[in-house]
C-alpha cells in the first residue's frame, strides 16, 4: 500500500519558474527520499532527508520535512524543460527493514 | 561504474505462463529490492534480498518469488501469470549499511500479459 499522497497530482509551469510539490505520509519515518521518473523508465534518486533534519539543499532542489505534520515539500528552482518528469516521495518507516513506501507522484510539465 | 541492469526490457507473456526477470546490481551493492509499478496501484514493494537471504516481503501472493545469487544478482519469478500482473517491474540496489542511503534503480522490465 502507498504511504501517502502527493499534491498536486499534476503541475504545469513555464521554464524559469519554480515548482513546488508536497508529500504527506502516515507513519513515523527514518528518512524521506525524493525520486524522479522520466516516461515510465527507472527512478532516479534526487535527495534524502533524515527524520531529524528540517531542510536540505542540493543544486536547484530544496527539500523540507515537517515530522509533526508528517509532510515534506520539494522545491525545484529555475525549472527547465528537462525537469519534465514524475516526482515521487518515498519513506523508510521507523523500525522497518528498509523498504521504500512511495507516494502517488506528481507529474511535472515544464513548458519551454 | 555500471548502473543497475535489468533484463529483458520488454516482455509479452500469455496468461497462465511463468516469467523470470533478472537484475544485476551495481558492483559492491549487496542489497537488491524489487518493486511493481502499475497505473492503478502505483509503486509497490515486492521483496528485498541481502546476501542471498530475503529480508522483507511485500503484500503479494505466493506466485511472486525471488532469489539472490552469491554475486548479488537477483531474479524474480512470477508463476501462473494474470492480466493484472502487467506492470513495470523495477529493481533497485543499495550499498550495505544503515537505512540512510538512496537506492539506485534499473530501467525496469515492462511485462505485458495477454
Amino acid at each position: 500500500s502507498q504511504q501517502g499522497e502527493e499534491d498536486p497530482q499534476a503541475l504545469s509551469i513555464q521554464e524559469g519558474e519554480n515548482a513546488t510539490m508536497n508529500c504527506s505520509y502516515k507513519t513515523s519515518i527514518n528518512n524521506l527520499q525524493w525520486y524522479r521518473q522520466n516516461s515510465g523508465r527507472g527512478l532516479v534518486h534526487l535527495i534524502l532527508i533524515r527524520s531529524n533534519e528540517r531542510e536540505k539543499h542540493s543544486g536547484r532542489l530544496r527539500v523540507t520535512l515537517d515530522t509533526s505534520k508528517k509532510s515534506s515539500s520539494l522545491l525545484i528552482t529555475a525549472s527547465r524543460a528537462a525537469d519534465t518528469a514524475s516526482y515521487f516521495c518515498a519513506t523508510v518507516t521507523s523500525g522497518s527493514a528498509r523498504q521504500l513506501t512511495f507516494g502517488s507522484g506528481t507529474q511535472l510539465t515544464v513548458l519551454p | 561504474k555500471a548502473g543497475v541492469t535489468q533484463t529483458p526490457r520488454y516482455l509479452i507473456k500469455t496468461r497462465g505462463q511463468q516469467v523470470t526477470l533478472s537484475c544485476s546490481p551495481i558492483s559492491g551493492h549487496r542489497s537488491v529490492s524489487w518493486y511493481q509499478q502499475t497505473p492503478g496501484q502505483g509503486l509497490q514493494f515486492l521483496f528485498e534480498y541481502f546476501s542471498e537471504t530475503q529480508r522483507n516481503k511485500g503484500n503479494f501472493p505466493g506466485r511472486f518469488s525471488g532469489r539472490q545469487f552469491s554475486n548479488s544478482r537477483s531474479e524474480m519469478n512470477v508463476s501462473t501469470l494474470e492480466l493484472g500482473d502487467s506492470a513495470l517491474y523495477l529493481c533497485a540496489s543499495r550499498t550495505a549499511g544503515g537505512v540512510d542511503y538512496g537506492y539506485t534503480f534499473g530501467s525496469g522490465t515492462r511485462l505485458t500479459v495477454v
Side-chain angles (χ1 to χ4, degrees):
Chain A
S1 62
Q2 291 180 315
Q3 168 71 288
E5 296 299 318
E6 289 185 55
D7 167 56
Q9 289 190 348
L11 178 62
S12 184
I13 59 174
Q14 296 289 329
E15 220 169 15
E17 294 181 336
N18 295 342
T20 300
M21 289 158 266
N22 303 296
C23 164
S24 62
Y25 57 91
K26 298 174 183 174
T27 62
S28 296
I29 60 172
N30 276 317
N31 65 64
L32 185 144
Q33 306 176 28
W34 285 89
Y35 288 83
R36 184 187 74 224
Q37 184 178 41
N38 289 85
S39 300
R41 296 181 64 88
L43 296 159
V44 174
H45 180 256
L46 296 175
I47 195 167
L48 180 152
I49 186 166
R50 295 179 175 83
S51 59
N52 61 354
E53 297 176 314
R54 291 297 165 258
E55 187 170 314
K56 202 161 183 180
H57 296 254
S58 176
R60 296 184 295 114
L61 305 180
R62 172 178 165 251
V63 170
T64 62
L65 178 65
D66 187 335
T67 53
S68 66
K69 295 181 180 178
K70 292 187 169 55
S71 67
S72 174
S73 67
L74 171 68
L75 168 67
I76 304 174
T77 61
S79 63
R80 306 165 182 167
D83 294 329
T84 295
S86 293
Y87 291 81
F88 295 89
C89 66
T91 55
V92 175
T93 305
S94 298
S96 78
R98 303 168 177 81
Q99 70 186 72
L100 291 172
T101 304
F102 284 90
S104 51
T106 293
Q107 172 61 50
L108 173 67
T109 302
V110 181
L111 303 169
Chain B
K1 61 187 167 183
V4 176
T5 303
Q6 289 190 247
T7 56
R9 287 294 310 279
Y10 302 94
L11 207 49
I12 300 176
K13 289 286 188 179
T14 304
R15 268 183 303 174
Q17 288 186 313
Q18 75 163 14
V19 67
T20 299
L21 311 181
S22 179
C23 172
S24 293
I26 287 175
S27 178
H29 284 192
R30 293 162 63 192
S31 166
V32 175
S33 302
W34 289 88
Y35 291 83
Q36 181 198 63
Q37 186 177 26
T38 60
Q41 298 299 315
L43 282 151
Q44 297 191 86
F45 171 76
L46 280 157
F47 23 67
E48 183 198 13
Y49 287 87
F50 180 80
S51 293
E52 302 178 65
T53 301
Q54 186 180 90
R55 288 207 294 195
N56 199 10
K57 188 176 193 301
N59 188 26
F60 279 82
R63 301 185 296 108
F64 292 80
S65 63
R67 58 178 176 169
Q68 186 180 34
F69 302 95
S70 58
N71 62 357
S72 294
R73 190 178 71 85
S74 176
E75 289 181 347
M76 69 162 281
N77 184 276
V78 188
S79 62
T80 319
L81 284 165
E82 300 176 359
L83 294 178
D85 297 332
S86 294
L88 180 66
Y89 289 89
L90 293 162
C91 166
S93 76
R94 191 175 63 83
T95 186
V99 299
D100 288 340
Y101 293 93
Y103 290 74
T104 302
F105 280 80
S107 296
T109 294
R110 173 78 61 184
L111 171 65
T112 302
V113 182
V114 297

